[in-house]
Amino acid sequence: MAERATLEELVRLQGERVRGLKQQKASAEQIEEEVAKLLKLKAQLGPDEGKQKFVLKTPKGTRDYSPRQMAIREKVFDVIISCFKRHGAEVIDTPVFELKETLTGKYGEDSKLIYDLKDQGGELLSLRYDLTVPFARYLAMNKLTNIKRYHIAKVYRRDNPAMTRGRYREFYQCDFDIAGQFDPMIPDAECLKIMCEILSSLQIGDFLVKVNDRRILDGMFAICGVPDSKFRTICSSVDKLDKVSWEEVKNEMVGEKGLTPEVADHIGDYVQQHGGVSLVEQLLQDPKLSQNKQALEGLEDLKLLFEYLTLFGIADKISFDLSLARGLDYYTGVIYEAVLLQTPVRPGEEPLGVGSVAAGGRYDGLVGMFDPKGRKVPCVGLSIGVERIFSIVEQRLEALEEKVRTTETQVLVASAQKRLLEERLKLVSELWDAGIKAELLYKKNPKLLNQLQYCEEAGIPLVAIIGEQELKDGVIKLRSVASREEVDVRREDLVEEIKRRTSPALCIC
Amino acid sequence: MAERATLEELVRLQGERVRGLKQQKASAEQIEEEVAKLLKLKAQLGPDEGKQKFVLKTPKGTRDYSPRQMAIREKVFDVIISCFKRHGAEVIDTPVFELKETLTGKYGEDSKLIYDLKDQGGELLSLRYDLTVPFARYLAMNKLTNIKRYHIAKVYRRDNPAMTRGRYREFYQCDFDIAGQFDPMIPDAECLKIMCEILSSLQIGDFLVKVNDRRILDGMFAICGVPDSKFRTICSSVDKLDKVSWEEVKNEMVGEKGLTPEVADHIGDYVQQHGGVSLVEQLLQDPKLSQNKQALEGLEDLKLLFEYLTLFGIADKISFDLSLARGLDYYTGVIYEAVLLQTPVRPGEEPLGVGSVAAGGRYDGLVGMFDPKGRKVPCVGLSIGVERIFSIVEQRLEAELLYKKNPKLLNQLQYCEEAGIPLVAIIGEQELKDGVIKLRSVASREEVDVRREDLVEEIKRRTSPALCIC
C-alpha cells in the first residue's frame, strides 16, 4: 500500500514536471523524454490505474438527448404522429427486448448485429433490432387478422464502427403498417400517401418517392439470365445505381459477381429506366417481361397503384425506378424509398437524391413464420428515418439562427423588492391552479435584473412583478420581456391577460 | 433424417391415440400408460423437440401495450407532462443502457436485480435501473450546476417473481427533479405541489402525501439508542407501520433485529405520530429530539416547508409522518410518499392508505459521486408510479372498443358508435352527381346534404371543442 502511495506521488510529481516543461516551451525532445518517464511510472501502477475513475460517457453509438434536441424531436414526432392519426392508425408498444428465439433467423447476415442480454439464469433475451418482427409476433400472439398501427420506439444494432462511421447503435424508428387481407393496392397507396404527407409537412425540402416491385425485379433478373442463387447479390449491386454510375455497377456484376457482360447489359437496359405510369405501360408491352408471370403481376399492380396515387394527388412525386432493390429479404411485393432532392447546380439537370429518409413495402410472408399453423397475414408498411430528419431540422434551425425554446413557460413571477417571497409563492400557485405555465426563482430576495435575464435566456415572454405599492393597490405589473413595456393589471384579470397575450394566434408579447 | 421422420410420425400417431382415449373417456390408468409412451418417444427426438417451435410470448415480466392500453397511457402521460411543463421543466432522454461501471455501487443490495448485457467483445453494459443515476451522470458529464428536468422512460429490474408477484420487470418511471444550489425548501415545496397537482388532475381518488426527513429519522434513532449499524434494518421495520400494527413491528425489532424492548418502546413513542405543522412545532419542543443537531435541522426545514406548502394551498394534503422511512440510501433530507386513500368503512375512522403512487425526496450527495472533483450538486425530485395509475384507470373505464371492418352501412354505423366517432360522411352515387356528401350525426342520426366544397368547414365546425354539437 505504501509502495503504491509512493508510486502515485511520483506519477503526480512527474506529471507536474511535464506540465512545467510544456509551459516553459522546453524543447520537444526534452518534453518527450519526460513524458516517456511519466508513462513508464503510470504503467507500473498497473493496468487499471491512470484510467478515468469517473465514468462520464454514454455507451458507444448512443447519446443523450439534450432539452434542445428533445424540443426538435417533439416537433418532428408531432408532425408524424398527427399524420398517422389522421389516417386512423392505432398505436401499440412492445418490450425493448424479445426472447432471443423470436429474433433468430429473421435478419439474415445482419443477425450478428443483434445485442444479446447476458445469460443470468433465466430466459435468453435480445434487444429488438427493428419494429417489424415484434409487430409480426404481436399479430400472431393475439391472433389478429387485421390492424392499422403505428409504433415509434428505439431499436438496437451493434453496427461495426469501421463500416458505418457516424451511425448510431440506438436509434428511433417510426413505423406504420397495415395488416390484413384487403382489395389490392388500396392500403399500399395509402402508405405512399402518408409518406408524402409527412415529408411535405416536415418542410425539409423537395423529395421523391421511388417505387418498384419485388416480383418485377425477380422476373427481370430471370429473363435477363441471372441465376436464382445470385439474386440477392445482384440486387445489392443494382441498388447502388443511386450512388454510382452504371459503368461501375456493371463492372462489379461482371468482375466480382460472375455475370457475363451480355447478362449485365441486358439488366442495364432495364434498371437504368425510371418514370411515371407511362413506363409501367411501356414495360407491359415489353415482349420478354410481359411473358414472365411474376413481372406481369407486379406491373399490373403498379398500374393500379398509379391510378390510386393519381386520385390521392401525389403521382407527381412518385417515380417507378427499376434500380430500387432495397435490403430486406421479406418484401414480397411493392417496395418504395423516399429521398430528399438537392437543387441541381445547373438548371435543367435532374435533382440529385441525397439520401433516404423513409422506406417500406409489402411483406406478405412474415407473420406466417410466427403462426403455428403458418397462417398468413399480408402486411404493407413504411418506416420514417427520423434520426436523419432530426439532424436536417437541427441544421436548418442553426442556419436560420432560430431560437428553439426548451420550456413553454408563459410568465415569470418576480419581485423587485425584498421580503416578497411569500407573495411570489402565493401568486405563482394561483397561476398554476389556473393552468398558467409559470416559474419563480428559488431565491428569497432575487435581484430584478437576474430575474429579467433568466427570462431572456429561457425565452419567457412575460414577467409578473410584485411590488409593495402594487399589492396595496391590488394590481400586478405585467412586463413584456421583448418590448420592455410594463402595464398594471388588476390581480383578478391577470390570468386572462396572460392567456390573451400568449395565445398562439395573437403572439403579441 | 429418415429415422427422425419416422420418429416424428410415431409421435404424431401416439399423440392421436392419447387424444382418442381421452375423448372416449378411457380409464385413467390406460391414458397414463399411453401418455408415458408418448413422452418417451418425444424424448428420443431430442431435448429441443417437443418444445413450442413458435415463440409467441413476451419475456417474463414484460408486456405489450395494446391500442386500448396505449390510449390510457397517453391520457395519463398528457396530464403528467402538462403539469411538468406548467412548472417550467425541460425534458431529456438517455440511452436504455449505461456502461456497467456507471450503475455499479449505486443501488446497494438491489444491484443483483440489474440486467446485464452479454459481453460481446466491446464495453460492458447494463440496462438502466432507474432514471436518477442516469440523471446524475448527465449532470456531471455536461458540468451542469442547475437544471429543472423531467424524464419519462422505461426502466429494468430483474425482480424475483416469488418475492414480488405481479411486478413488472420493464416499467415506466416519470421523474421530475430540480438540481442546483438554491434557498432552502422552495424547490422541495414545488415538488410536493407538482405531486398534488398531478394526483388531483388524474382524478383517481383522494390521496395523502406523507412527509418525513432523513435527518429527523437519524436523530430520532440516535436518541432512542439504536446503534448506527442497525439504522437501515430498523428503518425497514419502521416503514412497515403503514401495513402492519405497532405490536408486530415492535416484535420484529426486538425479536429479530436485536433491540431492547426499552429502545423499541422509545422509538414507538415517536414513529406512531403523524400530523400537520403542529406536530413539527411539538417536536421542536421535545427536550431530547431538539438537542440532536441533525433532527433539529430536519425539523426547522420541515417547519419552513409547511409554511410554503400553506402558501401553495396544499397543506391539508400533507401529513408529517414519522414512520415514513423509505428505501433508498441516497436521500439526505426531506422524503415523501403519496398514497391513495380508501373511504373508511365506519364513519369517523381515518381513511386507509392503499398503496403508494408517487414518492421522492432530497438527495444532495449523488452527483458528487460522478464528478472527478467530487463537486456536489444538490438535488430534489419525485417519481410518479404510473404503472399503478394505468391499472387503476383501466379498471375504471367501462368502454370497450371493437374493430369491425365490413363495408355494410349498418356495420359502418355500428363501428362509429363503438369507437365514439361522431360523424359519418356518406358517399352515394346520386349525391356524387349532385356534388354533395351526406353528413350524418351518429348521436342524433340526423342527415344533411353538404356541398363537397363546404364539407371540411362543416366537419370542423361540428367537432370544434367549444361547440360540441354533434
Side-chain angles (χ1 to χ4, degrees), chain B residues 45-65:
Chain B
L45 271 177
D48 284 337
E49 293 308 322
K51 224 157 77 171
Q52 176 73 301
K53 282 201 184 74
F54 295 89
V55 183
L56 291 179
K57 62 186 284 290
T58 52
K60 175 193 284 196
T62 70
R63 54 159 168 155
D64 295 319
Y65 285 80

Side-chain angles (χ1 to χ4, degrees), chain B residues 200-455:
Chain B
S200 297
S201 305
L202 286 171
Q203 297 182 309
I204 45 177
D206 286 334
F207 62 91
L208 178 74
V209 182
K210 303 181 196 175
V211 162
N212 196 359
D213 192 295
R214 179 63 189 266
R215 296 161 292 177
I216 296 174
L217 272 168
D218 281 354
M220 178 178 70
F221 287 171
I223 62 158
C224 290
V226 178
D228 278 355
S229 58
K230 290 203 201 289
F231 176 80
R232 283 200 82 218
T233 186
I234 296 301
C235 256
S236 94
S237 293
V238 162
D239 198 48
K240 294 179 182 172
L241 263 177
D242 61 347
K243 295 185 192 66
V244 305
S245 70
W246 167 246
E247 301 314 315
E248 285 190 56
V249 172
K250 177 179 171 178
N251 285 339
E252 185 180 274
M253 294 201 294
V254 175
E256 293 175 35
K257 305 199 174 177
L259 292 189
T260 68
E262 292 76 36
V263 170
D265 280 334
H266 210 169
I267 292 174
D269 289 339
Y270 287 113
V271 300
Q272 291 182 87
Q273 301 194 67
H274 55 87
V277 67
S278 51
L279 176 58
V280 181
E281 314 251 357
Q282 184 189 311
L283 291 174
L284 277 166
Q285 304 304 318
D286 181 294
K288 293 203 200 111
L289 205 53
S290 57
Q291 292 303 314
N292 180 283
K293 183 163 176 277
Q294 271 197 303
L296 192 63
E297 255 183 51
L299 287 165
E300 297 282 8
D301 273 352
L302 279 200
K303 185 170 171 201
L304 186 57
L305 179 68
F306 265 99
E307 282 176 33
Y308 296 158
L309 298 178
T310 306
L311 293 165
F312 279 163
I314 57 171
D316 59 328
K317 296 218 156 7
I318 315 292
S319 169
F320 171 31
D321 189 328
L322 282 153
S323 73
L324 177 63
R326 331 187 48 244
L328 294 163
D329 276 339
Y330 54 62
Y331 288 127
T332 56
V334 65
I335 49 182
Y336 33 82
E337 180 180 276
V339 293
L340 292 181
L341 300 173
Q342 221 174 37
T343 343
V345 180
R346 285 185 284 269
E349 271 190 3
E350 273 189 41
L352 185 67
V354 284
S356 160
V357 281
R362 174 164 283 285
Y363 53 104
D364 288 347
L366 186 62
V367 180
M369 290 173 73
F370 283 95
D371 187 275
K373 296 202 167 84
R375 268 180 300 229
K376 282 175 64 164
V377 177
C379 295
V380 64
L382 63 103
S383 191
I384 308 285
V386 273
E387 297 289 339
R388 189 93 218 285
I389 292 170
F390 291 158
S391 48
I392 291 171
V393 173
E394 214 167 347
Q395 282 166 32
R396 290 179 190 207
L397 280 181
E398 284 142 358
E400 283 290 329
L401 300 179
L402 295 175
Y403 302 93
K404 286 194 165 69
K405 305 278 190 281
N406 187 309
K408 292 200 171 62
L409 184 62
L410 199 60
N411 287 334
Q412 290 171 91
L413 294 178
Q414 197 175 344
Y415 176 75
C416 288
E417 284 198 31
E418 286 160 357
I421 301 172
L423 297 171
V424 197
I426 306 172
I427 297 175
E429 288 196 34
Q430 186 55 46
E431 288 82 358
L432 277 172
K433 292 195 184 113
D434 299 338
V436 297
I437 307 284
K438 222 182 254 311
L439 191 61
R440 176 183 171 117
S441 158
V442 174
S444 73
R445 302 185 187 190
E446 279 170 22
E447 289 182 354
V448 66
D449 284 346
V450 178
R451 296 206 59 74
R452 195 188 181 98
E453 52 269 28
D454 300 333
L455 186 61

Side-chain angles (χ1 to χ4, degrees), chain A residues 57 90 137 406 442 444, chain B residues 64 90 123 183 190 403:
Chain A
K57 63 188 282 289
E90 303 180 291
R137 193 263 307 139
T406 55
Y442 300 125
K444 283 191 281 214
Chain B
D64 295 319
E90 302 180 293
E123 300 162 321
D183 286 348
E190 185 166 9
Y403 302 93

Side-chain angles (χ1 to χ4, degrees), chain A residues 240-271:
Chain A
K240 292 178 183 174
L241 262 177
D242 62 346
K243 294 184 193 63
V244 306
S245 70
W246 166 244
E247 300 315 313
E248 287 190 54
V249 172
K250 178 178 171 179
N251 285 338
E252 185 180 274
M253 293 200 297
V254 175
E256 293 176 35
K257 305 199 173 177
L259 292 188
T260 69
E262 292 75 36
V263 169
D265 280 333
H266 211 170
I267 293 173
D269 288 339
Y270 287 113
V271 301

Side-chain angles (χ1 to χ4, degrees), chain A residues 65 77 80 84 107 128-134 149-157 170-176 328 330 382-387 390:
Chain A
Y65 284 80
F77 282 163
I80 294 173
F84 290 157
Y107 302 105
R128 64 186 169 215
Y129 185 86
D130 65 7
L131 301 179
T132 310
V133 167
R149 81 94 184 75
Y150 72 90
H151 187 186
I152 296 179
K154 291 179 187 166
V155 299
Y156 300 86
R157 302 184 182 182
E170 172 190 67
F171 59 95
Y172 264 103
Q173 281 199 328
C174 294
D175 280 21
F176 171 95
L328 295 165
Y330 55 60
L382 63 103
S383 191
I384 308 285
V386 272
E387 298 287 342
F390 292 158

